[in-house]
Amino acid sequence: MNHPARSFISRESSTTRGRDARSAPRATTGVAAMLRALDVRPSRRLGQNFLSDPRVAERIVAVALGGGAGVGAATAAAGAAAGPPAATAGPILEIGPGLGALTERLAASGRPFVAVELDLRLAEHIETLLRPYPNARVVRGDILDQRLDALLPGTAPVTVVANLPYAITSPAIAWVLEQGPRVARAVLMAQREVAQRLAAKPGTKEHGSFTVFLALHAELNVEFRVSPGAFHPRPDVDSVVFTVMPRPYPGTTPEERAAVERIVRAATGGRRKTLANSLGHGLGIGAERARAILGRAGVDPGRRAETVTVDEWIQVARAEGAAE
Ligand code: SAM
């Protein structure tokens, strides 16, 4: 699927969560042992830093199933053996189930469940893991090539869950938002720096076009931090679990949001320092016309693009629309 949202982002250039301990001595239990048994060597390209701490897995599943981040709620949700599953809420999609740290806990909820895994060796493992769950299935493939309506037909709002592969963090979030109102919320884990970029305030160096794009289409809630020791191979940096709740930015039309996306993309791509210059160049209208639009929007043309708030971008889009 080709969607304008994807033009905000490129696949992250580095391919792992920082440097990691792929060459460290092998552990003898848990994830390392599973990998050995499956004869799988973690792939950097596929961002395979597997979650090895079951308490973190339980907390993520607790957030996903709506029980908060407490361990107790997750344990209850995870317990296939603990009683009949609660099939009251909507379907669940897991992106990149890997070795299944989250997968069985999610499938055990009894809700319709699909896991999409690109690594065929792991997909086979997950298929075996999911055999006892008639509500669950695995789809082999790249999540970015899928359509949610095909994975989970129907109208029930879907919860997306993922420990995101680093190389596709931003494209995967864009993919979630492209699925429209079918996604109720996404409970995601990513490298802390990425999460900080998503939640960055205007004027900070992390604030960029993807921050604005996300704010236009969703609310973001940071849940909790996860240390490198919770993964194998161990990454260099902390991760963060956060929830993305898709919603249109209040008081805007789809056309206005599309105009903001176009204008922000145009104004933030290059190296020009002032808003008038970057906008004028990006839109191909010249600095003078850009200055006039910014003036009508009440935004100082001498500012830098990364200091402009979402509300101000909306005013710029409206001023540009009125000028046409
Ligand atoms: N969920 C597991 C966990 O928490 O341990 C694995 C997480 S690991 C960070 C990312 C997983 O996503 C890997 O299993 C990897 O093979 C898979 N993956 C990578 N790129 C993918 C893509 N484009 N579509 C679907 N799965 C992908």
Side-chain angles (χ1 to χ4, degrees):
M1 193 194 311
N2 203 3
H3 189 279
R6 302 268 171 90
S7 58
F8 276 91
I9 48 192
S10 55
R11 293 194 178 208
E12 272 72 1
S13 53
S14 169
T15 49
T16 64
R17 289 192 156 106
R19 283 178 297 117
D20 63 39
R22 248 158 259 261
S23 53
R26 292 193 196 181
T28 50
T29 55
V31 168
M34 281 174 85
L35 289 170
R36 267 203 307 284
L38 293 169
D39 197 22
V40 168
R41 203 165 175 272
S43 154
R44 286 171 188 272
R45 188 177 59 83
L46 296 178
Q48 290 178 343
N49 294 87
F50 299 102
L51 189 56
S52 58
D53 185 336
R55 290 164 304 179
V56 175
E58 286 178 4
R59 289 185 77 188
I60 295 172
V61 172
V63 175
L65 299 183
V71 168
T75 308
T88 48
I92 301 170
L93 167 70
E94 185 183 6
I95 300 171
L99 292 167
L102 307 170
T103 312
E104 207 173 351
R105 291 175 166 85
L106 295 168
S109 69
R111 290 154 62 163
F113 175 82
V114 173
V116 177
E117 175 57 61
L118 184 54
D119 187 325
L120 298 183
R121 306 163 301 174
L122 298 178
E124 195 177 327
H125 163 71
I126 294 296
E127 201 156 59
T128 310
L129 198 76
L130 290 179
R131 215 161 271 153
Y133 301 97
N135 55 310
R137 70 187 179 100
V138 61
V139 169
R140 291 160 168 79
D142 186 334
I143 187 62
L144 303 178
D145 295 335
Q146 313 292 321
R147 275 188 30 249
L148 186 56
D149 286 338
L151 293 171
L152 287 160
T155 56
V158 172
T159 300
V160 178
V161 184
N163 171 13
L164 288 171
Y166 180 67
I168 62 157
T169 303
S170 302
I173 295 170
W175 181 91
V176 166
L177 298 176
E178 287 162 24
Q179 307 311 308
R182 254 331 278 294
V183 177
R185 63 202 190 105
V187 179
L188 307 173
M189 178 153 61
Q191 180 175 320
R192 187 163 145 248
E193 280 72 8
V194 175
Q196 277 171 338
R197 179 149 50 88
L198 299 177
K201 297 266 177 289
T204 61
K205 72 174 175 2
E206 292 86 8
H207 188 262
S209 61
F210 196 70
T211 319
V212 176
F213 167 71
L214 185 68
L216 278 178
H217 298 287
E219 267 174 37
L220 183 115
N221 190 39
V222 173
E223 304 287 350
F224 57 92
R225 193 191 280 206
V226 182
S227 70
F231 302 93
H232 178 90
R234 182 191 164 102
D236 241 12
V237 293
D238 280 354
S239 294
V240 166
V241 175
F242 54 96
T243 305
V244 172
M245 286 149 297
R247 58 100 186 89
Y249 196 81
T252 60
T253 64
E255 293 73 26
E256 285 169 341
R257 292 191 294 279
V260 172
E261 287 183 20
R262 178 175 51 77
I263 289 170
V264 172
R265 246 189 333 261
T268 54
R271 274 193 249 142
R272 286 170 176 77
K273 290 203 168 82
T274 70
L275 199 48
N277 285 342
S278 58
L279 192 64
H281 178 80
L283 292 177
I285 57 173
E288 267 324 299
R289 277 188 66 194
R291 228 183 294 279
I293 290 169
L294 291 165
R296 271 197 303 279
V299 176
D300 179 352
R303 281 167 59 183
R304 299 178 75 107
E306 62 270 24
T307 68
V308 179
T309 66
V310 178
D311 285 323
E312 287 173 328
W313 281 123
I314 293 166
Q315 292 312 319
V316 174
R318 287 176 180 155
E320 192 226 18
E324 278 169 359

